[in-house]
């Protein structure tokens, strides 16, 4: 650092020390704005991540293809080329419990593969979900089991075959309360479906194929291309994002509210920055005139205060970010009644960097106009106590305001 | 003796609205190097305006000012600031210390602006000379008016100026304190051999300088040497 630069920092520090009350006011504006933005941004990101995660868990896969009949040759070719990770045939049929002769209309789902890829089949005992395919047993809807007073270890007759019941089925991704009350689900291995003898004559069959993709896979683009081809073949492609859109309706309002709150907080912070710096610099004008009288250049006078503002911006940004991180931990408690699921909070160093950068950027940007006055202070003011400070030319003022607005909007929309 | 300040045909007008107010008119005079020089005149006669022009704080509408061999009209604002930093000291009626800096820091500023390595050492020596060795870490608000003006004196001499401008240096002080400050000013000035230009209402003070310029209504009334050597 040159001697001149060192001196500027020294002056900035000396002056700041003695002006700390004013500068704290300024810092408070930054802290308010940054804390709000960081906490809301963090929470919003967590919310989005959670929705994505949970929408996958709701479907159990990244996307599915289903048909109401046996897939056409063309459809099957597409399905196979995409290499399904799991598949299912289901139909609605009567089943019987040999133990007490009870019968019931159920949805029989024959599954093959490690479906679901996200979330899990919830059974009692819980090991049943992992073993039914290998052991050739069935999982039966828990309510149904209660109704007919059957227990794991009893058996169930599906068409031509009888299977042991391995566990009660409490929940499985992809089914809702309404659909299960009409026709409660039972799950069995895909391989045994043929043997039931019901597929040939079954009234309505549904074929489903489940797919898992990489995190980075562009599902929407993929859907646009593949779905129309499948539609022609009476097949249908569903992605977890379309499920999340249903969920998102609810999130949208929360998200909009949060964005608005962040915007208002930031705006208030920026107004706070601009006005507190305005007051601050106004009080410094006579000191600046003295400095210029002693031989300080316009650039030096400007830089002393720019350094102060930037320094406060960084410190305020840091404090704001830390407070913001603290606040977002509270959000799940504050908003738990509005959200259809719980939100897990994760912490990283990134928001601190964002806070510091944002604090620096916002404070310098919004202090620019008041800071500009330092440039136009005339050293003559040392002789004229009551003269009101020279204003920067109107053109300069307009140019700076325009620049600030352009920068701000670029930044805001880019962010 | 060569002239350190040469004023020629100076004119200054202020325009308020569409009215032109001529504050200084046809001002020409010289100040010799090392001289003590006073400017007197009734209130509103243009003394402060003239001082501002001489020190390059303001610019005339016409006429030339040569300060330390430099034509001020040819310099821009930053160049004039640099010239002041090298060659000019100031004392103001209202002291004009930087309120956020201690006495020592205030005195150091002109030296630091020059990039001097001995800023602190020289400033301490000067503060001792004005009798404030035990007040160096005080802020201006913790000092009396007389003490503040003594700090300002130390600051004015800090950059070893070749010319010092003082605008009513005792205007805000009681008679006794004012007299002490003036004595100190003359002492330091003699020691450093600085050219001194004082604006004052006080004719006794003016009579202690070697030359008196009388202004009235923006014009020079008289410009006479006194008997002071
Ligand atoms: N910025 C300005 N705009 C308009 N008129 C001004 C301005 N500055 C000074 N004047 C006028 O110029 C005239 C001279 O002012 P100046 O301050 O130089 O007088 P002065 O001799 O120093 O008076 P005093 O003894 O009261 O300090 C006054 O009439 C004043 O009103
Ligand atoms: Mg005056």
């Amino acid at each position: 650092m040159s001697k001149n630069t060192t001196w500027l920092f020294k002056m900035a520090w000396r002056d700041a020390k003695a002006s700390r009350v004013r500068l704290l006011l300024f810092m408070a504006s930054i802290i308010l704005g940054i804390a709000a933005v960081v906490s809301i941004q963090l929470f919003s990101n967590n919310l989005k991540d959670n929705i994505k995660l949970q929408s996958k868990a709701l479907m159990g896969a990244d996307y599915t293809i289903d048909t109401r009949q046996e897939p056409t040759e063309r459809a099957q070719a597409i399905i196979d080329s995409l290499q399904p990770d799991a598949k299912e045939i289901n139909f609605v049929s009567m089943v019987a419990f040999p133990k007490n002769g009870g019968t019931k209309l159920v949805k029989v789902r024959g599954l093959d593969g490690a479906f679901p890829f996200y979330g899990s089949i919830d059974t009692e005992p819980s090991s049943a979900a992992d073993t039914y395919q290998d052991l050739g047993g069935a999982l039966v809807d828990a309510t149904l089991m209660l109704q007919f007073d059957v227990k794991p270890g009893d058996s169930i007759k599906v068409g031509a075959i009888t299977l042991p019941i391995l566990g009660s089925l409490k929940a499985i991704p992809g089914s809702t309360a309404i659909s299960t009350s009409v026709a409660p689900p039972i799950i069995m291995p895909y391989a045994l479906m043929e043997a039931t003898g019901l597929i040939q004559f079954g009234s309505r069959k549904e074929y489903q194929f489940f797919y898992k993709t990489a995190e980075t896979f562009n599902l929407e683009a993929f859907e646009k291309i593949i779905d129309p081809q499948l539609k022609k073949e009476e097949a249908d492609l569903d992605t977890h994002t379309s499920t999340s859109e249903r969920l998102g309706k609810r999130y949208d309002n929360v998200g909009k509210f949060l964005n608005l709150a962040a915007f208002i907080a930031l705006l208030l912070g920026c107004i706070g920055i601009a006005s507190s710096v305005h007051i601050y610099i106004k009080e410094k004008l006579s000191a600046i005139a003295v400095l210029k009288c002693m031989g300080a250049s316009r650039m030096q006078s400007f830089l002393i205060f720019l350094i102060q503002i930037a320094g406060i911006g960084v410190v305020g940004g840091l404090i704001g970010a830390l407070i913001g991180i603290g606040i977002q931990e509270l959000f799940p408690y504050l908003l738990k009644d509005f959200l259809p699921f719980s939100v897990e909070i994760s912490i990283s160093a990134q928001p601190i960097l964002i806070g510091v950068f944002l604090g620096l950027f916002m404070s310098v940007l919004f202090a620019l106009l008041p800071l500009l006055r330092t440039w136009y202070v005339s050293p003559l003011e040392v002789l004229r106590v009551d003269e009101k400070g020279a204003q920067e030319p109107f053109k300069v003022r307009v140019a700076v305001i325009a620049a600030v607005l352009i920068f701000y909007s670029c930044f805001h929309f880019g962010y | 003796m060569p002239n350190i300040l040469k004023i020629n045909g100076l004119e200054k007008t202020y325009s308020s609205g569409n009215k032109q107010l001529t504050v200084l008119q046809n001002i020409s005079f010289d100040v010799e190097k090392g001289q003590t020089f006073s400017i007197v005149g009734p209130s509103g006669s243009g003394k402060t305006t003239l001082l501002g022009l001489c020190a390059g704080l303001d610019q005339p509408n016409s006429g030339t000012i040569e300060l330390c061999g430099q034509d001020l009209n040819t310099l821009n604002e930053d160049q004039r600031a640099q010239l002041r930093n090298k060659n000019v000291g100031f004392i103001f009626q209202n002291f004009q210390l930087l309120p956020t800096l201690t006495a020592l820091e205030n005195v150091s500023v002109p030296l630091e602006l020059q990039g001097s390595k001995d800023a602190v050492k020289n400033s301490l020596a000067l503060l001792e000379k004005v009798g404030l060795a035990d007040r160096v870490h005080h802020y201006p608000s913790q000092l009396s008016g007389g003490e503040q003006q003594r700090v300002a004196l130390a600051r004015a001499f800090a950059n070893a100026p070749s010319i010092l401008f003082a605008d009513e240096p005792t205007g805000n002080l009681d008679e006794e304190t004012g007299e002490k400050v003036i004595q100190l000013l003359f002492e330091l000035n003699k020691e450093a051999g600085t050219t001194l230009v004082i604006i004052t209402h006080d004719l006794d003070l003016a009579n202690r300088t070697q030359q008196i310029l009388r202004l009235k209504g923006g014009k020079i009334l008289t410009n006479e040497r006194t008997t002071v050597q």
Side-chain angles (χ1 to χ4, degrees):
Chain A
M1 242 191 302
S2 77
K3 200 175 231 165
N4 181 25
T5 320
T6 318
W7 181 74
L8 292 176
F9 274 91
K10 194 165 159 184
M11 276 304 283
W13 171 244
R14 282 171 179 168
D15 185 66
K17 247 188 341 187
S19 317
R20 54 185 171 272
V21 177
R22 280 274 176 238
L23 288 174
L24 280 179
L25 190 75
F26 165 50
M27 199 193 282
S29 308
I30 298 173
I31 292 175
L32 167 83
I34 301 299
V37 170
V38 166
S39 61
I40 290 171
Q41 202 65 42
L42 278 177
F43 181 68
S44 202
N45 284 346
N46 275 323
L47 204 59
K48 276 181 214 152
D49 287 351
N50 273 263
I51 284 181
K52 210 165 148 195
L53 244 162
Q54 302 200 23
S55 74
K56 286 182 183 179
L58 274 178
M59 176 173 263
D62 287 296
Y63 67 94
T64 66
I65 295 174
D66 59 281
T67 64
R68 297 277 164 203
Q69 1 259 269
E70 199 167 345
T72 62
E73 214 168 293
R74 176 93 187 86
Q76 190 64 54
I78 295 174
I79 288 163
D80 290 343
S81 72
L82 295 170
Q83 299 179 330
D85 298 281
K87 57 183 176 176
E88 171 181 340
I89 301 179
N90 67 62
F91 50 77
V92 173
S93 169
M94 294 298 279
V95 292
F97 298 104
K99 180 183 168 190
N100 49 28
T103 58
K104 175 74 181 168
L105 191 70
V106 300
K107 184 173 185 180
V108 181
R109 300 177 65 176
L111 273 170
D112 179 39
F115 179 85
F117 317 127
Y118 308 101
S120 59
I121 302 179
D122 191 6
T123 58
E124 179 66 47
S126 56
S127 60
D130 303 323
T131 55
Y132 75 94
Q133 287 191 17
D134 293 335
L135 299 180
L139 306 174
V140 178
D141 181 63
T143 321
L144 189 63
M145 281 178 72
L146 266 177
Q147 219 178 324
F148 287 87
D149 190 30
V150 288
K151 303 238 152 30
D154 296 339
S155 53
I156 182 169
K157 190 170 183 293
V158 184
I161 62 172
T162 302
L163 301 95
I165 297 174
L166 295 180
S168 66
L169 177 66
K170 294 199 283 198
I172 179 167
S175 54
T176 60
I178 296 170
S179 66
T180 56
S181 65
V182 174
I186 76 158
I187 293 178
M188 56 180 279
Y190 186 96
L192 299 178
M193 292 296 270
E194 193 73 39
T196 62
L198 297 172
I199 293 185
Q200 293 84 347
F201 315 108
S203 49
R204 275 182 60 184
K205 289 165 290 186
E206 190 185 26
Y207 291 76
Q208 265 196 298
F209 301 87
F210 303 99
Y211 296 85
K212 191 176 173 176
T213 64
E215 185 69 32
T216 49
F217 187 75
N218 187 343
L219 266 180
E220 273 151 55
F222 169 76
E223 185 176 9
K224 274 212 189 87
I225 299 167
I226 300 296
D227 197 39
Q229 300 182 26
L230 287 169
K231 280 272 177 344
K232 275 187 237 154
E233 304 295 328
E234 306 285 311
D236 184 36
L237 182 128
D238 252 326
T239 67
H240 79 84
T241 44
S242 43
T243 329
S244 83
E245 260 157 40
R246 258 168 276 147
L247 250 184
K249 278 277 173 309
R250 204 145 167 206
Y251 160 75
D252 261 2
N253 290 332
V254 176
K256 270 181 196 151
F257 168 74
L258 288 177
N259 277 343
L260 186 69
F263 179 74
I264 289 173
L266 198 62
L267 198 68
L268 284 178
C270 290
I271 291 172
I273 290 168
S275 59
S276 54
V277 174
H278 178 76
I279 295 169
Y280 181 69
I281 294 295
K282 213 167 153 183
E283 284 178 356
K284 294 291 177 192
L285 292 180
S286 61
I288 292 165
V290 172
L291 277 173
K292 285 185 174 176
C293 188
M294 305 281 121
S297 68
R298 283 169 294 188
M299 185 54 98
Q300 285 175 318
S301 318
F302 176 78
L303 284 177
I304 288 172
F305 295 96
L306 181 69
I307 288 168
Q308 283 186 349
I309 300 298
I312 301 265
V314 168
V315 175
L318 183 65
I319 298 175
L322 292 176
I323 292 178
I325 290 170
I327 290 177
Q328 67 136 358
E329 305 257 358
L330 295 176
F331 270 120
Y333 300 102
L334 297 176
L335 290 176
K336 67 169 182 261
D337 292 341
F338 297 100
L339 298 174
F341 43 79
S342 65
V343 176
E344 271 158 42
I345 300 295
S346 55
I347 295 179
S348 65
Q350 195 199 8
I352 297 178
L353 290 179
I354 290 176
V356 168
F357 170 76
L358 203 61
L360 178 67
F361 186 80
M362 287 294 143
S363 53
V364 170
L365 193 62
F366 281 83
L368 212 52
L369 195 60
L371 268 179
L372 199 64
R373 289 196 74 180
T374 62
W375 188 273
Y376 291 94
V377 173
S378 163
L380 189 61
E381 280 170 50
V382 292
L383 298 172
R384 308 248 172 245
V385 186
D386 48 7
E387 194 180 26
K388 55 175 167 38
Q391 271 280 350
E392 58 273 8
F394 183 69
K395 260 195 270 177
V396 175
R397 213 175 159 75
V398 169
V400 170
I401 292 178
V404 166
L405 289 179
I406 289 168
F407 258 113
Y408 180 70
S409 37
C410 288
F411 180 74
H412 201 79
F413 294 117
Y415 187 46
Chain B
M1 272 288 182
N3 293 329
I4 192 166
L5 182 64
K6 290 195 230 176
I7 308 292
N8 200 354
L10 208 59
E11 191 169 314
K12 180 73 185 175
T13 57
Y14 288 110
S15 50
S16 49
N18 44 14
K19 264 193 182 166
Q20 291 275 344
L21 179 69
T22 302
V23 177
L24 289 174
Q25 213 176 350
N26 194 23
I27 305 283
S28 301
F29 66 92
D30 296 329
V31 177
E32 288 173 20
K33 195 163 169 33
Q35 203 181 18
T36 53
F37 193 98
S38 55
I39 301 170
V40 298
S43 185
S45 57
K47 304 183 294 293
T48 299
T49 307
L50 179 57
L51 182 116
L53 290 169
C54 290
L57 301 174
D58 200 1
Q59 284 178 296
N61 295 79
S62 66
T64 58
I65 306 154
E66 200 184 301
L67 180 64
C68 302
Q70 293 261 17
D71 181 357
L72 294 188
N73 287 337
T74 65
L75 304 180
N76 68 24
E77 193 181 326
D78 287 339
Q79 289 167 330
R80 293 198 303 266
Q82 206 167 14
L83 181 70
R84 280 196 298 277
N85 183 234
K86 277 206 193 105
N87 300 299
V88 182
F90 285 96
I91 297 173
F92 307 100
Q93 180 173 354
N94 49 356
F95 324 136
Q96 295 284 23
L97 296 177
L98 297 174
T100 54
L101 266 51
T102 63
L104 178 61
E105 289 165 349
N106 262 290
V107 178
S108 303
V109 166
L111 284 166
E112 290 170 348
L113 275 166
Q114 287 183 344
S116 160
K117 273 186 228 126
D118 304 319
V120 173
K121 204 182 88 191
N122 292 353
S123 304
L124 281 172
L126 271 164
L127 281 167
E128 195 164 349
K129 265 188 200 163
V130 298
L132 289 173
D134 54 345
R135 295 278 200 282
V136 295
H137 296 304
H138 287 219
Y139 285 93
S141 60
Q142 299 166 320
L143 298 170
S144 75
E147 287 167 340
Q148 287 186 51
Q149 195 62 306
R150 274 144 69 197
V151 175
L153 269 178
R155 178 179 67 180
F157 283 98
N159 57 341
S162 39
I163 185 166
L164 198 151
F165 293 101
D167 189 355
E168 313 219 16
T170 58
N172 275 359
L173 302 172
D174 63 58
E175 214 170 306
E176 209 182 304
T177 318
E179 177 52 32
K180 273 189 201 149
V181 166
I182 290 298
Q183 266 180 22
L184 202 51
L185 173 61
F186 278 108
E187 251 169 57
L188 288 168
N189 190 62
K190 202 167 182 181
E191 201 182 305
T194 310
T195 313
L196 183 64
V197 177
I198 305 183
I199 292 178
T200 183
H201 277 126
D202 183 352
L203 288 179
D204 290 338
L205 174 54
N207 278 319
R208 289 155 77 176
T209 63
Q210 292 163 337
Q211 187 145 352
I212 304 178
L213 181 82
R214 283 170 208 278
L215 279 185
K216 194 175 179 186
K219 292 178 187 157
I220 295 181
L221 214 55
T222 61
N223 182 8
E224 294 170 330
R225 281 191 177 269
T226 64
T227 54
V228 178
Q229 285 307 305

